[in-house]
Amino acid sequence: MKSIHNKAYQSLLQLLRLKRINQGVTQEQLASRLGVGQGIVSKIETHERRLDVIELREICLALGISFPEFIIEFDKYLKEEESKEHEEI
């Protein structure tokens, strides 16, 4: 299975998108901060374009989020998602 379709990867993008939205940052604003077109941000968020760890760090920095803290929060978020799945079984 490709990691872009992996549930963990989808959860990563979901959390990243929530962070962007909670800060009131549009895709266009984030793209401008990153020096890319809005289409790139859209493709990342809609799973059409793979995000690597360097780009993830750049997005965190552009949103004013601590990269290490984001990773820790993602790990907790992922564990919660996995726990929900086990409860449904």
Side-chain angles (χ1 to χ4, degrees), residues 20 25-39 41-42 45:
R20 177 184 62 75
V25 177
T26 66
Q27 286 185 350
E28 287 180 349
Q29 291 168 326
L30 178 57
S32 177
R33 294 177 188 182
L34 294 169
V36 299
Q38 180 269 333
V41 175
S42 176
E45 290 187 0

Side-chain angles (χ1 to χ4, degrees), residues 1 48-49 78 83:
M1 181 183 306
E48 293 178 49
R49 183 179 182 281
L78 196 56
S83 177

Side-chain angles (χ1 to χ4, degrees), residues 54-82:
I54 303 303
E55 292 170 321
L56 176 59
R57 182 180 179 273
E58 290 173 0
I59 291 171
C60 286
L61 293 173
L63 291 173
I65 299 168
S66 162
F67 180 63
E69 288 177 16
F70 178 82
I71 297 300
I72 291 167
E73 184 175 349
F74 168 63
D75 189 51
K76 289 178 185 176
Y77 183 81
L78 196 56
K79 287 177 183 174
E80 289 172 8
E81 292 294 310
E82 291 170 347

